[in-house]
Amino acid sequence: MKVFVASLATETNTFSPIPTDRAAFEDAFYAPPGQHPETPTLCSAPFVAARRRAREEGFLLVEGTATWAEPAGLVSRDAYESLRDEILDQLRACTPVDVALFGLHGAMVADGYDDCEGDLLTRARAIVGPDAVIGIELDPHCHLSDAMVAASTIIVTFKEVPHTDFLERAEDLVDFALRTARGEIKPVISVVDCRAIANFITSREPGRSLVDRIKTLEGRDGILSISVVHGFPAADVYDVGTKIVVVSDAAPERGEALARTLAKDVLGFGGNRLPPMPSPAEAVKAALAVEGGPVVLADRWDNPGGGVAGDSTFLIHELLKYPTVPAAAGALWDPVAVQFCHAAGPGARLALRIGGKVAPSSGPPVDAEVDVIAVTRDLVIPFEKSLVSLGAAAAVRIGELFVVVASKRAQTFHPDVFRNLGIDLERQKIVVVKSASHFHAGFAPIAREIIYVNCGGPYPPDPAKIPYTKIRRPIAPLDPVSEPVR
Ligand SMILES: [Zn+2]
């Protein structure tokens, strides 16, 4: 048995002003063959899962490249084609293979390629032939295209949003792929399209119950795996939208019937899918009304994980109206401010311009006299079983407000963004995080309360108002839709 594994992933926000080139992959995460760390990254967990099985079972595992760029704008043609061809050359060099595993995100859009993963997998299929197993792991915020489905033998997405289960799902994927190659199962992929942009989170209802129920349906009646593709609204491509994927063991009718039932359930969530999201002024007032602290304010639409800058200042300006309230905010992407703080050094006081640089939707910058509290060459924080670098970083203090600035764009996954720079979150009344949902597991244990805030962007918060030109219609909420389709 010979198994190949590779990973090529990013999530492209086609409305983002931040271009993505090859350096964006190499700077964020780039592991050539054999160099993948022992810990997984969000989209490269199949490496870790396949290594474990190869050690236990003695099959030959051929590792290709694994790479990830922090979500941003359009990927350059050269970046996509060079990384794609690097991986396909690695695959070609080790054929014949029984199994090819790909850790993908599923929402990569490059110049000239609206469906990068469909393109990659179609080419991979041509190399491995019709009988080899192609197994892919996707982020649920993907655009599931017909080309991706046609080229794949097995598709598994993470179930949880926030994504707490990317390694478990990779273990599922590897297990299904090995069982298929050994002739123990015959996976058939059934997809039902909800015809809706219906994102939800699974750390609260109604998403929580749906995932719990899905898990009870797997592993019996010929159903191997169920995935909910939430879709990624911040991209203008044909395949944006929410879809249900059921992988059955040679039971396509049962698979499709179940997918249709679950699609109707998701459509039935209606407008009740996301938590209420007050404005910055309302959110800070609400936080001040809570007894004790800290109250975590999640700047949901300035989440670097959604392809935007993470440098918006709306909540900081709001907090500065309450100069006696102890608070912390981070991590803002601002490499220039980081550089100035490193040059000035801890203990220095300087006039610093913070944030508000990338686009008008970032808001006006904050200009303030700051005290540099701490600096670090590399701010590394955990996210589930992976480690994420925010690069060189600094903590500054404006009166009672601490602000963390970082040189690499990444979400505020964990309180270590603050703690590693000496900020004690337990002493803060309000903590602002740049994250849409992945902060939850790390911050929930210390948060008195969590409030999701709508600062108006720069990620387009209301799909009904996004100027799509390529999306398949009809689709809710742009059009009235009542029935899922095949
Ligand atoms: Zn995601």
Side-chain angles (χ1 to χ4, degrees):
M1 172 93 76
K2 194 196 286 179
V3 177
F4 174 80
V5 62
S7 174
L8 173 55
T10 191
E11 179 185 61
T12 304
N13 177 337
T14 63
F15 305 101
S16 170
I18 306 166
T20 305
D21 60 358
R22 184 164 172 132
F25 287 87
E26 290 173 351
D27 292 347
F29 174 68
Y30 178 79
Q35 308 273 305
H36 192 286
E38 282 302 318
T39 51
T41 67
L42 183 71
C43 295
S44 69
F47 277 75
V48 175
R51 275 181 189 171
R52 183 174 68 77
R53 294 294 292 266
R55 276 195 299 267
E56 288 170 9
E57 296 164 35
F59 60 79
L60 176 61
L61 178 65
V62 180
E63 296 188 0
T65 294
T67 188
W68 152 271
E70 186 65 16
L74 196 68
V75 178
S76 73
R77 180 183 282 268
D78 172 67
Y80 171 61
E81 289 181 346
S82 68
L83 291 166
R84 174 196 71 190
D85 293 346
E86 178 176 322
I87 286 170
L88 293 176
D89 287 347
Q90 293 159 351
L91 176 61
R92 203 174 284 114
C94 72
T95 47
V97 296
D98 301 284
V99 175
L101 300 168
F102 291 93
L104 305 171
H105 182 289
M108 185 191 299
V109 184
D111 182 11
Y113 298 90
D114 280 2
D115 176 16
C116 291
E117 291 82 0
D119 175 65
L120 171 73
L121 293 168
T122 302
R123 291 167 190 267
R125 175 58 77 191
I127 292 168
V128 300
D131 298 329
V133 177
I134 292 185
I136 66 172
E137 185 181 30
L138 298 169
D139 186 295
H141 301 116
C142 61
H143 315 299
L144 186 67
S145 67
D146 290 347
M148 290 158 70
V149 177
S152 301
T153 316
I154 304 156
I155 296 173
V156 172
T157 75
F158 322 146
K159 287 182 168 57
E160 302 288 352
V161 181
H163 304 323
T164 52
D165 64 333
F166 52 88
L167 181 54
E168 287 165 81
R169 298 290 80 78
E171 284 165 349
D172 292 350
L173 175 75
V174 173
D175 190 58
F176 292 138
L178 294 173
R179 285 162 66 193
T180 308
R182 288 171 181 146
E184 295 165 17
I185 52 172
K186 286 192 167 58
V188 177
I189 301 168
S190 301
V191 179
V192 168
D193 184 334
C194 296
R195 288 290 81 223
I197 303 167
N199 295 78
F200 55 93
I201 55 182
T202 63
S203 50
R204 56 167 73 205
E205 297 298 349
R208 184 66 258 143
S209 294
L210 179 75
V211 172
D212 289 343
R213 188 153 60 85
I214 279 172
K215 286 182 169 176
T216 69
L217 297 169
E218 291 176 327
R220 58 190 180 93
D221 302 330
I223 302 301
L224 298 169
S225 167
I226 302 167
S227 294
V228 180
V229 169
H230 292 228
F232 182 62
D236 187 15
V237 295
Y238 181 79
D239 289 299
V240 171
T242 303
K243 296 168 190 183
I244 310 291
V245 181
V246 175
V247 184
S248 66
D249 187 4
E253 282 168 21
R254 221 175 307 150
E256 192 181 324
L258 178 55
R260 188 168 291 277
T261 301
L262 293 168
K264 284 184 178 166
D265 290 350
V266 170
L267 280 176
F269 290 173
N272 184 33
R273 293 174 287 105
L274 293 172
M277 276 174 265
S279 70
E282 292 164 342
V284 171
K285 277 208 183 76
L288 293 174
V290 173
E291 204 169 309
V295 177
V296 172
L297 303 185
D299 192 349
R300 184 172 165 84
W301 305 123
D302 190 32
N303 162 33
V308 297
D311 80 333
S312 95
T313 53
F314 300 104
L315 275 163
I316 293 180
H317 284 294
E318 194 59 34
L319 288 172
L320 288 172
K321 294 177 187 168
Y322 301 87
T324 61
V325 174
L332 269 76
W333 181 49
D334 194 334
V336 174
V338 171
Q339 193 184 335
F340 287 7
C341 291
H342 276 250
R349 170 169 277 224
L350 73 159
L352 189 66
R353 172 164 282 198
I354 302 170
K357 293 186 175 72
V358 168
S361 52
S362 301
V366 175
D367 285 295
E369 284 281 316
V370 309
D371 294 306
V372 179
I373 302 302
V375 299
T376 176
R377 291 247 158 257
D378 196 8
L379 180 57
V380 177
I381 60 169
F383 172 48
E384 295 303 322
K385 297 193 172 56
S386 69
L387 292 170
V388 176
S389 165
L390 286 87
V396 300
R397 186 173 185 151
I398 312 167
E400 292 296 312
L401 173 66
F402 293 100
V403 179
V404 173
V405 285
S407 57
K408 276 193 185 179
R409 285 188 320 116
Q411 292 178 68
T412 307
F413 289 111
H414 193 272
D416 281 359
V417 162
F418 300 97
R419 286 182 189 147
N420 289 1
L421 290 160
I423 300 167
D424 181 0
L425 292 185
E426 272 73 13
R427 296 175 67 158
Q428 313 307 323
K429 176 70 185 176
I430 295 176
V431 176
V432 170
V433 298
K434 295 284 185 189
S435 176
S437 62
H438 293 333
F439 69 95
H440 193 275
F443 283 86
I446 61 146
R448 178 74 51 161
E449 199 172 313
I450 291 170
I451 300 174
Y452 295 82
V453 188
N454 182 1
C455 295
Y459 186 102
D462 181 359
K465 297 190 179 125
I466 298 176
Y468 293 111
T469 61
K470 297 181 180 173
I471 194 171
R472 181 182 170 199
R473 306 289 286 263
I475 191 163
L478 280 66
D479 308 297
V481 167
S482 54
E483 279 291 308
V485 297
R486 247 187 107 170

